[in-house]
Amino acid sequence: MKKLLFIFLATLTWAANAQNMIAKSATDITPLLIGEKIPNLTLKSSDNTDVQISDLLKKKKTVLVFYRGGWCPYCNMHLQALAEAEKQVLDLGYQIIAVSPDSAENLKMTAEKDKVKYTLLSDSKGELIKAMGIAFEAPENYKSVINVNSNGMNTSFLPVPSVFVVNPQSDILFEYVSPDFKHRITTELLVSVLKNLK
C-alpha cells in the first residue's frame, strides 16, 4: 500500500513539475488543459510596470494569446489579424491579451508595427509560458534573436504559439495549441468559438 501511495505522490509531483519544465521540442510540450486555471503570475506591461495576470483576467472573458515575438513574421500576421477582428471580439464580451518573451520595450514596437490596440505583455523570464506548459528549447538559430528581443532575459526558450479562451475566474474554456508555428487559428474560427461559448 505504501508503495502505491509513493507512486501516486511521485506521479502528482512529476505532473506538477512538468508544467514548469522546458520541453526538448515543440511537439514535446504538456500544455494546461481545458478546465484548468491560468496561474497567477506577474508580467510586465509595455510601459514596464508589473501586472498580475489574474487582475486582468477577472475584468472580463479573455482571449489569451501566446506568441514567439515581434520578430516572427507569422506572429505579426496573427497579431494583425486579431487586431482586425478585435471589434467582433469586444462585441462578444471578450478582451484580447497577447504574451511573448519580448521585453517590455519591444512590445511598443510590435504594437505600432502591427496596429495593435489590445494588451501586449512581456514574459521575458518565461514564468507564465513555462507554467502554461508551452515552453520548449529554442533551436540554436533562434537563440541570438530571442536574446536581443528579450534584452538578454531569455536565451533558451520559445513558446508554442497558442490561444486560450479564459473566463474571469481564470478557467480555460478553449485552447488552440499548434507546435507548427506557421499554423495559427483563423480569426473566423476563433470568433465562431467565442459565439458558441456564450
Side-chain angles (χ1 to χ4, degrees):
M1 187 66 172
K2 282 184 179 177
K3 187 175 180 182
L4 281 176
L5 181 60
F6 173 77
I7 291 169
F8 174 72
L9 291 174
T11 303
L12 280 180
T13 303
W14 177 86
N17 289 334
Q19 245 63 50
N20 287 311
M21 297 185 336
I22 297 177
K24 287 287 177 209
S25 73
T27 55
D28 294 328
I29 61 166
T30 55
L32 293 181
L33 302 174
I34 292 170
E36 294 190 277
K37 286 194 179 291
I38 303 294
N40 184 26
L41 293 166
T42 304
L43 303 178
K44 294 280 188 187
S45 67
S46 58
D47 59 2
N48 208 29
T49 57
D50 287 348
V51 177
Q52 292 289 114
I53 191 70
S54 66
D55 288 345
L56 295 179
L57 297 179
K58 70 183 175 188
K59 291 180 181 178
K60 57 172 30 183
K61 294 176 287 186
T62 304
V63 176
L64 182 61
V65 178
F66 290 87
Y67 67 103
R68 296 166 5 129
W71 51 268
C72 168
Y74 295 95
C75 295
N76 289 322
M77 286 189 290
H78 188 212
L79 294 176
Q80 288 166 7
L82 285 168
E84 289 167 14
E86 185 176 18
K87 184 181 182 323
Q88 286 177 278
V89 173
L90 292 173
D91 288 348
L92 290 167
Y94 293 82
Q95 64 180 337
I96 301 172
I97 298 172
V99 179
S100 79
D102 282 352
S103 68
E105 298 82 2
N106 282 319
L107 296 179
K108 288 180 182 176
M109 288 187 283
T110 299
E112 289 168 14
K113 179 175 58 182
D114 296 333
K115 299 176 177 60
V116 168
K117 294 189 181 109
Y118 52 82
T119 304
L120 298 180
L121 296 175
S122 169
D123 186 20
S124 292
K125 294 178 185 173
E127 291 174 353
L128 182 60
I129 292 166
K130 291 173 194 170
M132 296 295 296
I134 57 173
F136 71 100
E137 185 72 33
E140 279 304 318
N141 58 325
Y142 284 107
K143 290 188 176 178
S144 62
V145 75
I146 60 177
N147 181 36
V148 167
N149 284 280
S150 69
N151 286 354
M153 297 289 285
N154 172 20
T155 59
S156 62
F157 72 89
L158 282 171
V160 166
S162 308
V163 174
F164 296 86
V165 178
V166 184
N167 69 16
Q169 293 76 42
S170 298
D171 300 313
I172 299 170
L173 306 177
F174 169 86
E175 64 185 60
Y176 183 94
V177 180
S178 178
D180 182 346
F181 66 87
K182 296 177 183 176
H183 293 279
R184 310 297 170 99
I185 189 170
T186 65
T187 51
E188 293 81 12
L189 178 55
L190 177 61
V191 167
S192 177
V193 166
L194 299 181
K195 286 177 180 172
N196 286 315
L197 287 174
K198 287 190 75 95

